Amino acid sequence: MHSYDYWLILGFFALVLLPAPFLGRFYYKVMEGQRTWLTPILGPLERGCYRIAGVDAQAEQSWQKYTLALLAFNLAGFLLLFAILLFQDHLPLNPQNLPGQEWTQAFNTAVSFMTNTNWQSYSGEATLSYLSQMVGLTVQNFVSAATGLAVLVALCRGIGRKSAQTLGNFWVDMTRATLYGLLPLCLLLALYLVWQGVPQTFAQYVNAVTLQGVDQVIPLGPAASQIAIKQLGTNGGGFFGVNSAHPFENPTAWSNLFEVASIILIPAALVFTFGHYVKDLRQSRAIIACMLALFLIGGATSLWAEYQPNPTLNNAAVEQTAPLEGKEARFGTTATVLWSVTTTAASNGSVNGMHDSLNPLSGMVALVNMMVGEVIFGGVGAGLYGMLLNVLIAVFLAGLMIGRTPEYLGKKLQAREVQLLVATLLVMPVSVLVLGAIAAALPGPAATISNPGPHGFSQLLYAYTSAGANNGSAFGGLSANTPFHNLMLGLGMLIGRFGYILPVLALAGSLAMKKTAPIGQNSFPTHGPLFVTLLTVTILLVGGLTFLPTLALGPIAEHLSLGF
């Protein structure tokens, strides 16, 4: 590693961690309707949205009504996007006259962006019109991220409130999350990306002739606005087929740094938002410490693996250097590794290198980051409510070990809460292991794998893990654009999204109704090094016990076979 690599890592953590406490407090004030410096600007627009939609901003909802509103909103978004993708050839802003998508691919894409997964089995510039990219995908990038933030806020209220029957108002939370939480940051990042060279235009594609005399079509489009929200909203869908490895999506080293840092900027800030809701920032520091520990373990492992020479080339005639296959050659190996670890630790499907070319251990780190439920920062809102589920599981385990009724911040965890926690533990195994096993067992779907042996199995495993974890990145090498994979991966995305959201909202409603018992000397502290260690071990054990056999068949077996 060179000095540039160390400065890159230092700059990344500085951009993420320094603003996190301040941005976290801002989000708390925004979601609770308190006055901020943006209120004079966006307040009239917010109130106008309520008037147009007929929403009473003062009326709160029970967890059941909150859930029904969320489901109705997401269903409407899915149907709108599905229709746009099917009939884009009959709609405006299609200068290349691109046809509509085949229905299973349109279903997969609509589910993908509605669930904040952003898995793409197509090349954006060759498949989607400007209208589909903007009105379809970009809108879902905003509202899917805002949905995750709304669910998190509902859970925070459930934990923080005492004997309450309501969790807030979904329509108000969605509006505030979008207007105050996402739009201002996206506007700033989009302007920055345009300055760095990312296109933002409605012009037709440009025909050019290369130095070799070959005709070439250079794609354009309103890319900067979609790239800003795809990173800040932990979405990840690429405007162009090769995603953030494309020079129009990621033109400079500075754009690369700001894009990768923006992926976990909001998730890190929301940890401190939770601390404000429960009036105890020590809880935030404990959770952020656990997230950083898991992130550093994965990052260090991946960096070490990628800087190892390929043992297959171990002979006197070959100089031993870090392999560069599949790396972002403009920015170096460290930048590619940092991107792969960050995006899989968050719910972000963007790539600036080829995951299929990662060292087996690096590929395993990416898989493990997703298999634990993407709680290492995770998606906007989704990462933290997934982490809080693990916090409650760790508290439950601690209660079993010391023989006391488990409680978290004065709220006792009883049978109903434990049943809901167990339900969430089944989400990833069903969406990854069950659906992946069906795909591997059938001759047709299994034939879409491009490589034999452990690496080929990793390709299939990665696809279904990415879908179930609502990540959206691809290992590569799997021909996923088939009716079977389009439908099965879409089902995995739905299970991975709503299999968590529904129990989380039910859990929030149950906790909100409980009285808060005073925290005494005999209460298990959830803010010290002991609890951080317990939480970290719980996350690794739950994920490890569930997925270790499949990892042994894929990346572990491939790593042990290197050099043979």
Side-chain angles (χ1 to χ4, degrees), residues 5 11 18 95 143 201 215 264 331 334 341-342 350 380 391 456 476 480 507 517:
D5 299 309
L18 292 180
V143 297
T201 177
D215 292 331
I264 60 173
F331 310 135
T334 299
V341 173
T342 302
S350 66
V380 170
V391 168
L507 183 64

Side-chain angles (χ1 to χ4, degrees), residues 46 58 65 83 98 106 139-140 147 187 212 251 294 354 356 364 458 463 483 504 515 522 539:
E46 178 190 356
Q58 305 303 319
K65 290 184 178 180
L98 297 170
V139 168
Q140 285 301 312
T147 297
L187 178 61
Q212 291 79 19
L294 292 168
M354 189 65 172
D356 196 39
M364 186 179 72
S458 295
V504 163
K515 295 181 179 180
N522 293 327
I539 293 170

Side-chain angles (χ1 to χ4, degrees), residues 506-528:
L507 183 64
S510 180
L511 291 174
M513 290 186 288
K514 291 179 178 291
K515 295 181 179 180
T516 302
I519 300 176
Q521 292 182 347
N522 293 327
S523 300
F524 182 67
T526 56
H527 55 264

Side-chain angles (χ1 to χ4, degrees), residues 104-393:
T104 64
Q105 189 180 47
F107 168 82
N108 180 278
T109 305
V111 168
S112 175
F113 279 80
M114 181 264 290
T115 58
N116 201 245
T117 307
N118 309 97
W119 168 275
Q120 294 173 293
S121 59
Y122 59 87
S123 181
E125 71 271 34
T127 307
L128 296 185
S129 68
Y130 293 165
L131 183 78
S132 296
Q133 295 269 28
M134 292 188 304
V135 178
L137 304 192
T138 304
V139 168
Q140 285 301 312
N141 282 346
F142 275 97
V143 297
S144 63
T147 297
L149 180 50
V151 174
L152 170 65
V153 167
L155 180 58
C156 291
R157 293 183 184 130
I159 296 174
R161 290 182 175 181
K162 305 174 184 179
S163 302
Q165 302 295 320
T166 59
L167 296 175
N169 187 307
F170 172 74
W171 307 110
V172 173
D173 290 341
M174 274 289 302
T175 303
R176 289 173 178 168
T178 304
L179 283 181
Y180 297 92
L182 296 172
L183 272 175
L185 286 175
C186 288
L187 178 61
L188 291 176
L189 182 58
L191 291 174
Y192 176 81
L193 293 176
V194 169
W195 174 47
Q196 291 296 300
V198 178
Q200 181 73 17
T201 177
F202 292 116
Q204 293 188 0
Y205 294 178
V206 175
N207 293 313
V209 179
T210 67
L211 293 176
Q212 291 79 19
V214 178
D215 292 331
Q216 180 182 6
V217 177
I218 300 176
L220 297 173
S225 55
Q226 182 172 322
I227 295 164
I229 183 56
K230 90 167 188 178
Q231 306 298 26
L232 285 165
T234 60
N235 297 283
F239 192 93
F240 302 105
V242 294
N243 215 291
S244 294
H246 197 290
F248 282 1
E249 283 205 26
N250 191 7
T252 69
W254 285 107
S255 70
N256 185 77
L257 172 60
F258 275 77
E259 284 188 38
V260 72
S262 66
I263 292 171
I264 60 173
L265 174 64
I266 297 177
L270 291 176
V271 178
F272 293 93
T273 302
F274 170 70
H276 287 289
Y277 268 102
V278 298
K279 305 298 187 290
D280 187 355
L281 287 174
R282 296 176 302 174
Q283 307 299 324
S284 299
R285 289 191 285 269
I287 291 173
I288 204 80
C290 177
M291 289 178 169
L292 284 172
L294 292 168
F295 187 93
L296 291 174
I297 291 171
T301 303
S302 198
L303 276 173
W304 177 84
E306 288 305 323
Y307 275 96
Q308 299 305 303
N310 190 329
T312 306
L313 305 177
N314 189 17
N315 59 69
V318 179
E319 180 182 358
Q320 291 298 285
T321 58
L324 289 174
E325 178 193 347
K327 307 299 185 300
E328 175 49 89
R330 294 177 298 158
F331 310 135
T333 298
T334 299
T336 300
V337 171
L338 181 62
W339 196 289
S340 71
V341 173
T342 302
T343 52
T344 52
S347 176
N348 187 290
S350 66
V351 294
N352 75 344
M354 189 65 172
H355 286 193
D356 196 39
S357 297
L358 290 173
N359 181 285
L361 289 182
S362 302
M364 186 179 72
V365 167
L367 279 166
V368 170
N369 283 349
M370 295 185 290
M371 286 173 170
V372 297
E374 288 202 305
V375 297
I376 313 169
F377 296 106
V380 170
L384 184 53
Y385 67 65
M387 175 60 84
L388 289 174
L389 293 175
N390 283 280
V391 168
L392 297 177
I393 292 171

